[in-house]
Amino acid sequence: MGNSEAIAAAFDGGPAYVPYLVVGDPDYDSSKAYVEALDRGGADVIELGLPFSEPIAEGSTIQEALVRSLDAEMTPDRFFAFAEEVDVDAALVCMTYYNLIYQYGDSEARSASEASGEAASTGPRPFVERAAAAGIEGLVVPDLPGEEADPLREACDEFGLDLVFIVAPTTRGDRLDELMGRVSGYVYVQARLGTTGARDDVSNQTTESLDRLREYDVPKAVGFGISTGEHAERIVAGGADGIIVGSALVDVVADGVENDRSTADVADRLEALSRELKEGAERGYRSRAETVESA
Amino acid sequence: MSETESSTSEVGELSRRPGRERGRDDGKFGRYGGQYVPEALMPAIEELADAYERYVLNNEDGFMDEFRERIADFGGRPTPLQRADRLSERYDTEVYLKREDLLHGGAHKLNNALGQVLLAKYMGKERIIAETGAGQHGTATAMAAAHLDMPCTIYMGERDINRQRPNVFRMKLNGSEVKPVTTGRGTLKEAISETMRDWAETVEDTHYVIGSIVGPHPFPVMVRDFQAIISEEAREQVIERTGGLPTDVVACAGGGSNTMGTFADFVDDESVALHAVEAGGSTLEVDEETGVAPNSASLYTGDEGVLHGARTKLLQDSDGQIMESHSISSGLDYAGVGPELAYLVDEGRVDPVAVDDDAALEGFHRLSNTEGIIPALETAHAFGYLEEHHEELGERVVVNVSGRGDKDLDAAIEETDQRDVANAPDMSMFTGGM
Ligand SMILES: Cc1ncc(COP(=O)(O)O)c(C=O)c1O
């Protein structure tokens, strides 16, 4: 189930490695090199963060990255240009907050409506149309729960994008059913409560969440707190179809900024960490296959 | 409608209050409102909506009785409706002051804070968190938490901490932990985001006492209902005093809890004009280049968008990035506003107006030296409006004195020093001692 074939393919026949970086962090050109490094490191889907000024679902690592990007004048239009220019094999997903989606194209709509005298047709459609044209295959919108998502869902179906929802450890019962009825592409399984941020350990809430989701036929990618190959291995061995890694990678970018490292150096580090995460995921997948065989 | 039609018989019908039905079931006010929050918070918000319905609307376990009793005994309600003689003379109209500055803690904020902390208690929550701008909401929450014996953490922007030191001290005196927020410009907007982050982690045993009619459903309706006690009393008091309704009701608007609390029971009285006074800051012009709106007039100049859990009117740039706002008063310094107010403005029911920093400061001095009431800088905007627009108002005006100015004395001295305020006291001979 899903609109994007590229995303479906990414989860087909092996664990998907889904890294996240903020576009424009710390500047447009460096972040292009970084995203391409993730791709070389084995990314199957790349989540590209489009910065919003009030990222309430983000912990301090990503929050600061979003600020760096905004300071470097990232805008939705430059973001789309980036998606068009970046040279990667992985499927691209845009992660951003609803106000940017809702607002995009709104000023045009407003001036047109002022000219015609009719009410402005605001809504998510212009953003999704532009994203599709830029080669974006899906959207993740952390401040948009299923309840408010129908207009965006419709626009995504119209333009062939997947709409990924986050399932939290607190999501149960009817809410879970409803959310899973709206999701497409993959479901983002939030490994623990709270905001994004790398952790030394990954939560055992993950296993519980994966158990609850077993009956739903959608790829399950686990995120929030994964930072090493060993985490990745454990999460995939525990039944995840993919891993999402954000803060640990953004930390590498932040370290480059703090220590004034060259773009090439940071890109190499990102590629190496990506490879470690991807290999960890693959080990986890193999051990799962072996367990199944020996059972 | 003329004054004679609004007879005292309306007092008997007060209990129905149809004006408060708006938004109760689905959190929608026309196109505004809703629940735009991370999925992790949704179950808590549903739990809260359920508790709101049971305890607040249906008085389950006598919740509302206990609230009314505590807001009377601990809070000091009802607050008086006082005739302002000098202002009435100055403006040649009857001016009545609803004295929320006399509520315990010195501002209207306690109505909501006490209501929510008590609700958290009924819900079995173990910990309270809150954000604060002026420190008034934080202070009220800290007091309510101490009164009801709940541990409490309050997030406050660093810039606001510097502007409002007495309130920081008061919160700590009452046993709350105050956490400085350094992101952005360190004002209310950032403090709200930070409190939501804490909540996302602790949602299972923690209640977030949001300080205004903002945020996801059910906060806007619930906060309005707790604050509506202001208009409930004011409406009864003005009818009792004068035999009729006011022609105009004036209140300052930050997030809008003071405004909606003062307007709620007048919304259905179509003869009563409702004026929401926003902070015009230094100018209503926006600096697109720096992303700064040197004002906080989101009703007056804002655009529709989604922030902190609700669709409403916001100060934002053409991409949808939220702008940094400005006001001389930290309690009005916010880029958003409650969805219900946004709706009532679109409907033409509420008149959004802006008063700049200078006029607010004059209002601060005027109320102090004509009536012997030192208002909060937030409240002073309402008096700035009165001075500038009294000729457009009818013959009987109710102004909500949302808070007292003790917390603002440092800021007022500093701001007065920087300007040539005609009606300010001359402090030059005392400078050494200040
Ligand atoms: C005295 C006073 N009045 C008004 C306000 C404005 O807030 P709101 O519009 O949410 O009532 C504040 C906020 O801190 C305040 O302290």
Side-chain angles (χ1 to χ4, degrees):
Chain A
M1 85 178 256
N3 290 322
S4 157
E5 282 172 26
I7 289 179
F11 283 90
D12 211 19
Y17 164 51
V18 185
Y20 164 96
L21 276 185
V22 175
V23 169
D25 172 27
D27 60 73
Y28 187 94
D29 290 330
S30 311
S31 76
K32 195 146 60 156
Y34 300 162
V35 168
E36 287 167 359
L38 300 178
D39 193 59
R40 286 196 300 278
D44 298 291
V45 175
I46 301 178
E47 293 185 348
L48 298 176
L50 164 60
F52 178 50
S53 53
E54 320 301 316
I56 53 174
E58 251 59 73
S60 57
T61 303
I62 291 177
Q63 192 188 355
E64 283 160 20
L66 297 171
V67 170
R68 284 194 296 270
S69 168
L70 283 173
D71 285 349
E73 287 171 11
M74 185 44 60
T75 64
D77 282 324
R78 293 189 77 207
F79 176 91
F80 291 131
F82 181 99
E84 278 162 356
E85 283 172 29
V86 74
D87 183 14
V88 294
D89 292 332
L92 297 178
V93 163
C94 166
M95 179 144 179
T96 195
Y97 286 74
Y98 195 55
N99 199 47
L100 297 194
I101 295 176
Y102 184 74
Q103 203 59 27
Y104 191 81
D106 189 51
S107 43
E108 280 162 54
R110 225 188 292 277
S111 39
S113 81
E114 268 160 28
S116 71
E118 283 167 31
S121 68
T122 56
R125 195 173 177 278
F127 184 95
V128 179
E129 184 173 14
R130 179 72 187 92
I136 299 282
E137 309 270 352
L139 296 175
V140 190
V141 191
D143 65 341
L144 189 71
E147 282 79 350
E148 307 287 354
D150 287 343
L152 184 59
R153 173 80 270 170
E154 271 169 41
C156 284
D157 288 343
E158 182 181 346
F159 293 103
L161 269 69
D162 282 327
L163 184 55
V164 173
F165 284 100
I166 299 174
V167 166
T170 45
T171 315
R172 285 147 206 278
D174 290 349
R175 287 197 49 77
L176 184 61
D177 274 339
E178 275 175 33
L179 211 61
M180 295 306 285
R182 287 193 175 92
V183 82
S184 72
Y186 56 98
V187 52
Y188 188 143
V189 183
Q190 186 179 332
R192 51 171 175 73
L193 279 177
T195 51
T196 54
R199 293 293 198 280
D200 290 338
D201 201 2
V202 280
S203 164
N204 53 11
Q205 282 178 324
T206 310
T207 334
E208 206 194 298
S209 297
L210 286 172
D211 281 346
R212 260 185 294 131
L213 292 173
R214 207 163 301 271
E215 62 182 281
Y216 301 96
D217 184 24
V218 185
K220 294 140 198 101
V222 173
F224 273 48
I226 300 175
S227 60
T228 66
E230 194 258 322
H231 290 164
E233 179 176 352
R234 225 158 4 106
I235 297 274
V236 173
D241 303 304
I243 51 155
I244 303 174
V245 183
S247 296
L249 297 163
V250 173
D251 273 335
V252 175
V253 177
D255 169 80
V257 172
E258 268 157 42
N259 297 305
D260 215 9
R261 295 188 204 287
S262 70
T263 302
D265 182 10
V266 175
D268 285 347
R269 286 162 194 256
L270 286 168
E271 186 179 337
L273 179 54
S274 283
R275 196 155 284 129
E276 176 194 330
L277 289 158
K278 171 86 179 184
E279 284 168 7
E282 280 170 344
R283 273 198 309 280
Y285 192 73
R286 280 195 301 274
S287 73
R288 194 164 81 196
E290 281 157 20
T291 331
V292 173
E293 270 165 33
S294 62
Chain B
M1 206 202 278
S2 78
E3 207 182 308
T4 43
E5 282 171 73
S6 48
S7 71
T8 42
S9 70
E10 287 174 53
V11 177
E13 294 176 9
L14 276 176
S15 57
R16 276 199 276 127
R17 302 183 208 294
R20 291 193 217 167
E21 290 300 318
R22 207 174 311 102
R24 264 179 184 166
D25 14 303
D26 61 356
K28 295 278 161 71
F29 305 92
R31 48 208 283 150
Y32 302 110
Q35 297 175 309
Y36 296 85
V37 291
E39 172 56 30
L41 294 177
M42 285 302 294
I45 282 170
E46 288 196 324
E47 185 191 342
L48 185 62
D50 178 59
Y52 162 69
E53 189 172 333
R54 282 165 46 208
Y55 297 121
V56 180
L57 300 184
N58 301 329
N59 193 30
E60 199 173 300
D61 299 340
F63 172 85
M64 281 307 285
D65 302 325
E66 182 172 351
F67 170 65
R68 296 255 170 184
E69 197 178 311
R70 287 183 189 274
I71 199 67
D73 295 351
F74 177 69
R77 298 212 75 90
T79 59
L81 183 79
Q82 178 210 337
R83 196 187 129 95
D85 293 333
R86 245 78 57 218
L87 288 184
S88 297
E89 209 174 300
R90 180 178 177 89
Y91 301 132
D92 193 23
T93 183
E94 277 183 84
V95 178
Y96 286 89
L97 307 178
K98 179 61 176 164
R99 297 291 308 276
E100 288 302 288
D101 60 315
L102 293 178
L103 189 66
H104 179 47
H108 69 293
K109 297 281 179 186
L110 185 71
N111 300 316
N112 168 50
L114 185 67
Q116 284 199 51
V117 176
L118 188 64
L119 188 66
K121 198 132 204 161
Y122 273 62
M123 290 168 73
K125 298 287 173 182
E126 289 161 15
R127 173 176 174 258
I128 295 295
I129 54 174
E131 89 294 337
T132 196
Q136 262 333 113
H137 171 60
T139 298
T141 307
M143 285 172 170
H147 174 64
L148 293 165
D149 193 21
M150 292 273 261
C152 177
T153 300
I154 290 161
Y155 291 88
M156 186 168 186
E158 215 165 40
R159 178 182 158 82
D160 287 339
I161 287 180
N162 293 329
R163 292 197 274 186
Q164 301 285 350
R165 292 182 58 81
N167 270 339
V168 177
F169 190 59
R170 290 207 286 173
M171 288 181 254
K172 292 178 76 102
L173 273 178
N174 284 305
S176 283
E177 183 189 4
V178 179
K179 288 201 173 168
V181 178
T182 55
T183 47
R185 262 178 87 247
T187 57
L188 183 55
K189 162 167 87 66
E190 290 81 17
I192 294 181
S193 295
E194 207 52 43
T195 318
M196 286 195 162
R197 292 193 178 99
D198 179 320
W199 202 27
E201 203 149 334
T202 57
V203 64
E204 285 164 317
D205 64 1
T206 298
H207 176 66
Y208 174 11
V209 179
I210 211 163
S212 195
I213 55 163
V214 301
H217 178 69
F219 283 109
V221 282
M222 183 173 71
V223 177
R224 173 200 66 203
D225 288 356
F226 286 133
Q227 291 292 3
I229 198 163
I230 303 172
S231 62
E232 180 181 318
E233 286 175 9
R235 194 173 179 285
E236 267 173 68
Q237 289 165 324
V238 72
I239 291 172
E240 198 175 301
R241 282 289 275 278
T242 68
L245 288 165
T247 51
D248 299 84
V249 176
V250 181
C252 66
S257 74
N258 170 58
T259 325
M260 263 335 289
T262 311
F263 294 170
D265 287 3
F266 291 108
V267 170
D268 291 327
D269 298 322
E270 280 172 25
S271 67
V272 181
L274 306 172
H275 311 276
V277 187
E278 295 190 295
S282 52
T283 165
L284 290 176
E285 298 297 309
V286 160
D287 187 343
E288 280 272 353
E289 190 84 342
T290 58
V292 172
N295 61 71
S296 309
S298 28
L299 284 173
Y300 196 77
T301 66
D303 271 343
E304 189 178 332
V306 174
L307 175 66
H308 292 144
R311 177 178 304 198
T312 186
K313 287 185 189 283
L314 305 173
L315 300 177
Q316 57 183 327
D317 68 15
S318 56
D319 287 334
Q321 305 294 357
I322 308 306
M323 290 200 179
E324 299 296 347
S325 57
H326 163 82
S327 167
I328 192 173
S329 59
S330 26
L332 303 185
D333 198 348
Y334 180 55
V337 66
E340 183 170 14
L341 267 179
Y343 169 78
L344 290 174
V345 164
D346 279 5
E347 293 291 292
R349 183 66 191 93
V350 166
D351 165 33
V353 292
V355 162
D356 68 16
D357 287 346
D358 293 348
L361 202 60
E362 281 193 36
F364 175 85
H365 289 291
R366 184 164 299 103
L367 191 66
S368 303
N369 60 39
T370 57
E371 298 289 346
I373 299 169
I374 301 174
L377 283 173
E378 288 78 10
T379 310
H381 285 74
F383 292 92
Y385 173 72
L386 216 57
E387 177 73 11
E388 287 181 346
H389 294 271
H390 60 91
E391 281 172 4
E392 298 148 35
L393 303 180
E395 67 271 22
R396 189 182 298 147
V397 182
V398 171
V399 186
N400 192 33
V401 183
S402 59
R404 66 171 193 236
D406 304 40
K407 70 183 176 71
D408 291 322
L409 293 183
D410 282 350
I413 293 169
E414 196 180 303
E415 297 285 349
T416 304
D417 276 351
Q418 289 169 17
R419 294 173 170 78
D420 189 16
V421 187
N423 57 359
D426 179 5
M427 295 294 291
S428 51
M429 71 183 91
F430 307 117
T431 38
M434 288 304 292

